[in-house]
């Protein structure tokens, strides 16, 4: 008996309605990242109104991730048994309700608690959405939908930043949170009406005979470790972008809040281009016979190294424009890894275990989000000047990105992983048969 890591076979037809679900989940991730970005976008008004020091604001940015990883793992195991349609609905409802307490007068403690709750609701988001979307696409057609799904994050920022910044500038940062709560409830209503469970895997005959692989074996495979390491570096950059990019533009470089709103879009526009391009290139390379080691592993890791090297040039730039350009390009390049890692894990993980494995992967790499904002806040508070503190923090980010990219190049071999696990499966079956009662 062989491992059925993915039940799809080459040339399998994509079910009708797959792209509708992809679009709805794209919107799901759009709302997800709009929720994430609002604290960073309103960072200066929040710090002013609540009289926060940089370390306190760094703690606020990190607090979002306190329960993020734990929730991702718990829900990852839940979606192995419960339809993703209902799990996605509950998650989106939590996001919406967690925004409304900020509409009125709010203390730092209340804001902190609401961000922790929001993080618990958003922790499983991408892994559950990816698991859901893989029920609609066979393996060789998953990279592009994964890229579209992940770009809900970029478009969430691109579309939300001008709208939310307008509310912040003309009304109050409190109302920006309320607007996100309303948008979240609208998505919940749309998903109730149109959301469906994917039919591709639930009806596939191979699932009945699918061999399960011990989680220890899956989680200690070099490709799993490589995905966690590589994406950790990318998420370090992303979490700094969510929390500290706009304050850097305002307090570090001297832009106004209104100007910063437009500048804050740039990394996400560039990042969206990189991710969609990476997804398309990966799919074309695979169609032309490239191994997933090249079309996914190398393609995702090299931009991380390049981005880190570009980011490291920020302290040597002699103008604000050049510093922004290095930050935009350097941090934007790392987005390619988000497109390739979930499909790589799906290559060798049995379908009945895939939700948990992708969730655990997400829980590990998003630990960067708990560390990076606090590190930046601490560095800024202890620096000789505000700008020096920011530049030192981004240099640390550059080192993390280069190291994670190199680990990705070393460890990401999904095609070899699949072959090794396939060879091991008959031995596990034989052992199981030997100890079973007759």
């Amino acid at each position: 008996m062989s491992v059925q890591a993915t039940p799809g076979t080459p040339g399998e037809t994509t079910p009708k309605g797959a792209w509708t679900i992809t679009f709805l989940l794209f919107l799901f991730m759009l709302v997800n990242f709009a929720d994430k970005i609002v604290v960073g976008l309103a960072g200066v008004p929040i710090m002013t109104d609540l009289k926060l020091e940089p370390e306190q604001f760094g703690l606020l940015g990190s607090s979002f991730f306190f329960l993020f990883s734990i929730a991702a793992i718990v829900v990852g195991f839940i979606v192995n048994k419960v339809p993703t349609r209902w799990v996605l609905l509950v998650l989106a409802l939590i996001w919406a309700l967690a925004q409304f307490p900020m509409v009125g007068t709010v203390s730092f403690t209340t804001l902190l608690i609401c961000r922790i709750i929001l993080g618990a609701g958003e922790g499983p988001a991408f892994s559950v959405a990816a698991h859901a979307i893989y029920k609609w696409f066979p393996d060789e057609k998953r990279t592009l939908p994964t890229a579209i799904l992940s770009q809900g994050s970029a478009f969430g920022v691109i579309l939300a930043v001008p709208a939310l910044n307008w509310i912040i500038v003309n009304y109050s940062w409190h109302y920006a949170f309320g607007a996100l709560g309303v948008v979240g409830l609208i998505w919940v209503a749309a998903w109730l009406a149109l959301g469906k469970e994917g039919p591709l895997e639930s009806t596939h005959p191979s699932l009945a005979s699918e061999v399960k692989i011990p989680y220890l074996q899956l989680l200690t495979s070099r490709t799993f470790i490589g995905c966690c390491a590589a994406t950790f570096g990318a998420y370090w950059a992303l979490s700094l972008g969510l929390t500290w990019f706009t304050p850097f533009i305002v307090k570090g470089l001297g832009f106004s809040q209104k100007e910063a709103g437009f500048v804050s879009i740039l990394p996400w526009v560039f990042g969206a281009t990189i991710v969609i391009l990476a997804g398309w290139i990966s799919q074309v390379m695979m169609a032309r016979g490239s191994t997933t080691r090249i079309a996914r592993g190398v393609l995702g890791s090299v931009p991380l190294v390049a981005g880190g090297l570009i980011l490291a040039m920020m302290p040597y730039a002699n103008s604000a424009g050049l510093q922004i350009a290095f930050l935009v390009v350097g941090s934007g390049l790392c987005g390619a890894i988000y497109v390739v890692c979930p499909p790589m894990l799906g290559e060798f993980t049995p379908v009945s275990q895939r939700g948990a494995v992708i969730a655990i992967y997400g829980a590990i790499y998003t630990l960067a989000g708990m560390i990076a904002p606090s590190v930046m806040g601490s560095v800024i508070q202890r620096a000789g000047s505000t700008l020096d503190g920011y530049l030192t923090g981004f240099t640390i980010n550059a080192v993390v990105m280069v190291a994670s990219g190199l680990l990705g190049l070393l460890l990401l071999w999904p095609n070899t992983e699949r072959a090794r696990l396939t060879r091991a499966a008959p031995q596990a079956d034989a052992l199981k048969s030997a100890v079973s009662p007759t």
Side-chain angles (χ1 to χ4, degrees), residues 154-239:
F155 281 91
V157 176
I158 292 167
L159 298 178
V161 163
L164 293 174
N165 201 54
W166 182 85
I167 295 172
I168 292 166
V169 170
N170 292 283
Y171 294 95
S172 166
W173 61 268
H174 297 276
Y175 292 124
F177 284 90
L180 289 172
V182 172
V183 171
L185 292 178
I186 292 172
W187 188 89
V188 167
W191 185 252
L192 266 175
L194 301 172
K196 297 177 182 178
E197 199 73 7
L200 195 62
E201 294 170 356
S202 61
T203 58
H204 201 282
S206 68
L207 289 181
S209 58
E210 181 184 63
V211 176
K212 288 191 175 183
I213 300 170
Y215 278 103
L216 182 62
Q217 192 174 348
L218 291 169
L219 303 182
T220 56
S221 65
R222 66 179 179 181
T223 298
F224 180 86
I225 294 171
C227 278
C228 291
T231 318
F232 183 91
Y235 210 80
W236 189 289
L238 185 145
S239 60

Side-chain angles (χ1 to χ4, degrees), residues 3-69:
V3 174
Q4 297 294 328
T6 53
T9 55
E12 187 169 1
T13 304
T14 302
K16 183 179 180 181
W19 289 106
T20 299
I21 297 298
T22 301
F23 177 69
L24 285 171
L25 293 177
F26 165 84
L27 295 179
F28 176 79
M29 293 306 299
L30 188 152
V31 175
N32 176 286
F33 266 76
D35 289 344
K36 284 186 176 77
I37 195 68
V38 66
V39 162
L41 185 63
V44 174
I46 289 173
M47 283 190 276
T48 301
D49 289 356
L50 301 183
K51 298 179 173 58
L52 304 181
E53 295 293 333
E55 281 190 341
Q56 289 178 294
F57 187 70
L59 174 64
L60 182 63
S62 294
S63 69
F64 180 84
F65 297 95
F66 286 175
L67 296 178
F68 197 93
S69 297

